[in-house]
Amino acid sequence: MAKTILELNNIEKVYGEKVKTKVLHGINLMFSEHSFNAIIGQSGSGKSTLLNIMGTLDNPSNGYVEIDGTRTDRMNKKALAKLRNSTIGFIFQYHYLLPEFTARENILMPHRITQDKVPKAVSDYADELMEVVGIADVKNNLAGEMSGGQQQRTAIARALLNKPRVILADEPTGSLDSETTDRVYELLKKINKTYGTTFIVITHDRRVAEKTDRIIQLEDGFIEMDVTT
Ligand SMILES: Nc1ncnc2c1ncn2[C@@H]1O[C@H](COP(=O)(O)OP(=O)(O)OP(=O)(O)O)[C@@H](O)[C@H]1O
Ligand SMILES: [Mg+2]
């Protein structure tokens, strides 16, 4: 049995003060290390809410998240931020690159914020990742002057720089055409195999979901289906 890297225990989410709407109804899920998981479900079913709670970007109204065996609800803010930064990488539908900076600068941005000089090992790893995601030849181009697919691959490299054990992705190819989507997913699979990174990916694309290890379907805040393929 593979080790559990992320676990959701009876997660509930209620939005609103006066009018309360429950959008997650007691979700229990365990994710194995090195696995590739898809989350599907209709618009409004609670996918993004669940992913944000998994990544500790948002708090559940009830229940708790365990990352690598540690209950995150009992951690202080600083310790949690440290665990999150060292364990989880995020990829969003819109990549939030800084258009005035080059691809390489964007990938190294987290390091530029926290320290003056980027260590050589980190800088070399950024170059390796840019090779892996196939943007080595445009790495000194401004992000704002790259194609959508190149920008998305830059965002993937940026998410990988800290060697996260888990990547949480919310519609990572939502803004791309189907051919580029296929290429990005091949890349994510390659990263999953090469680095053993666990992936939990929200997708609207059933064709994409069917190529993963496990499909979890949400419906109105409940788990409607959970199949290992
Ligand atoms: N900040 C918020 N305040 C109030 N309600 C919210 C908030 N965010 C989401 N919701 C509601 O919670 C429900 C689940 O939203 P969520 O964004 O998780 O859905 P989703 O499955 O990601 O949908 P989509 O596929 O459209 O991205 C929806 O009914 C939505 O209107
Ligand atoms: Mg969403």
Side-chain angles (χ1 to χ4, degrees):
M1 263 304 272
K3 193 174 166 217
T4 297
I5 181 77
L6 204 144
E7 184 168 344
L8 304 178
N9 292 283
N10 196 31
I11 297 292
E12 299 183 354
K13 185 67 177 180
V14 179
Y15 281 121
E17 291 287 310
K18 272 191 191 154
V19 182
K20 293 187 172 18
T21 317
K22 199 171 197 178
V23 302
L24 293 175
H25 301 262
I27 302 287
N28 292 293
L29 285 171
M30 290 164 90
F31 294 94
S32 300
E33 203 161 29
H34 314 315
S35 60
F36 202 115
N37 309 271
I39 298 179
I40 62 171
Q42 290 192 333
S43 179
S45 58
K47 305 181 297 295
S48 295
T49 303
L50 189 67
L51 200 83
N52 290 338
I53 290 171
M54 275 184 208
T56 72
L57 297 175
D58 190 9
N59 288 317
S61 308
N62 255 310
Y64 60 91
V65 177
E66 276 178 80
I67 297 176
D68 201 16
T70 305
R71 277 185 68 151
T72 58
D73 59 326
R74 292 174 173 166
M75 300 177 78
N76 66 37
K77 264 199 173 142
K78 203 173 157 200
L80 182 58
K82 200 173 163 204
L83 177 71
R84 186 198 304 124
N85 291 338
S86 64
T87 315
I88 302 177
F90 295 93
I91 307 172
F92 299 101
Q93 175 171 9
Y94 300 100
H95 37 71
Y96 305 111
L97 297 179
L98 299 171
E100 310 291 300
F101 291 84
T102 68
R104 196 168 190 284
E105 286 166 340
N106 267 281
I107 291 167
L108 289 166
M109 197 60 71
H111 282 268
R112 295 165 67 97
I113 291 166
T114 54
Q115 54 204 92
D116 295 338
K117 204 167 182 304
V118 179
K120 184 166 187 307
V122 174
S123 167
D124 287 349
Y125 188 53
D127 288 325
E128 180 190 328
L129 286 173
M130 285 186 280
E131 287 282 346
V132 172
V133 304
I135 54 161
D137 51 339
V138 292
K139 66 184 173 190
N140 293 317
N141 291 16
L142 296 182
E145 294 175 358
M146 298 195 303
S147 75
Q150 288 168 341
Q151 292 183 34
Q152 194 58 293
R153 283 181 276 148
T154 304
I156 291 167
R158 182 183 54 183
L160 288 167
L161 186 69
N162 280 344
K163 303 186 180 167
R165 294 167 70 187
V166 182
I167 295 269
L168 300 179
D170 195 345
E171 299 276 2
T173 56
S175 56
L176 303 176
D177 62 54
S178 65
E179 201 179 303
T180 313
T181 294
D182 285 347
R183 270 195 262 136
V184 169
Y185 274 100
E186 271 165 33
L187 170 62
L188 298 184
K189 294 248 181 68
K190 183 167 148 194
I191 291 160
N192 168 249
K193 293 274 172 291
T194 309
Y195 301 107
T197 315
T198 304
F199 279 83
I200 305 171
V201 182
I202 295 175
T203 176
H204 268 108
D205 197 335
R206 231 193 136 102
R207 198 177 49 95
V208 163
E210 278 162 4
K211 290 186 205 155
T212 65
D213 302 336
R214 180 183 181 191
I215 306 175
I216 296 158
Q217 184 179 356
L218 281 186
E219 198 172 303
D220 297 327
F222 290 95
I223 294 171
E224 172 69 17
M225 185 188 83
D226 184 352
V227 289
T228 304
T229 51

